[in-house]
Amino acid sequence: MKRRARAMLLVGLLFALLLTPTARCEKAAVQGALDAAEAWLALIDEGKYARSWETAAGYFRRAVTKAQWRRSLKAIREPLGKVLSRELKTKQYTTSLPGAPDGQYVVIQYHTSFEKKSSAVETVTPMVDPDGNWRVSGYYIK
């Protein structure tokens, strides 16, 4: 009985050791994605729409032109007014998203309050670009 208990303890410890690097890597990835999302959102909050496009992921820039992006934000974001508050709601690390190539992504949602819309959900999806940097690949407001 003691051997079985020791064996189970040993298996549990090995399992924990194997998961720890993965959990640590995922936590670092999520933090990198959050940092990228917040810096990128600051550009939008400041009305620097062209710069937000320039600093977005290559995948994003291939999907929409700079002019299209600027027009979209002027039509959708500007009418909402200034951001009054933005609070992290969820963050989810994944390696697969519908309609996107496999890679490293973090889907981040914020509860956001604007001058002219008291309650909205912003979804920002940073991804790891080929150069290893986190950049935003998607943005939506509901």
Side-chain angles (χ1 to χ4, degrees):
M1 188 68 155
K2 285 186 179 182
R3 281 186 183 170
R4 184 179 171 121
R6 282 187 205 152
M8 295 295 283
L9 179 61
L10 183 58
V11 168
L13 288 172
L14 287 173
F15 187 70
L17 288 173
L18 289 173
L19 286 181
T20 301
T22 302
R24 233 179 292 138
C25 289
E26 190 173 308
K27 186 175 180 180
V30 169
Q31 188 57 57
L34 285 168
D35 292 344
E38 290 170 12
W40 191 82
L41 285 169
L43 293 173
I44 291 176
D45 293 345
E46 296 167 9
K48 297 178 180 176
Y49 303 152
R51 184 73 182 131
S52 71
W53 183 88
E54 293 163 0
T55 61
Y59 180 76
F60 179 98
R61 293 190 319 271
R62 287 187 296 276
V64 63
T65 67
K66 188 188 297 189
Q68 289 170 327
W69 179 242
R70 289 173 65 195
R71 280 193 303 273
S72 293
L73 287 178
K74 283 184 177 283
I76 296 166
R77 177 66 190 270
E78 279 188 9
L80 301 176
K82 292 182 181 182
V83 171
L84 300 178
S85 66
R86 180 180 285 129
E87 186 177 317
L88 181 63
K89 178 181 173 186
T90 64
K91 56 187 186 270
Q92 179 64 48
Y93 177 85
T94 186
T95 57
S96 179
L97 288 174
D102 287 348
Q104 293 185 67
Y105 299 88
V106 178
V107 179
I108 305 166
Q109 290 190 318
Y110 296 93
H111 281 293
T112 307
S113 177
F114 296 94
E115 284 178 319
K116 297 176 184 168
K117 183 163 181 67
S118 62
S119 181
V121 176
E122 290 180 292
T123 303
V124 184
T125 308
M127 69 180 293
V128 174
D129 247 354
D131 66 1
N133 290 311
W134 283 96
R135 293 190 178 88
V136 172
S137 64
Y139 176 67
Y140 308 95
I141 302 174
K142 275 190 183 178

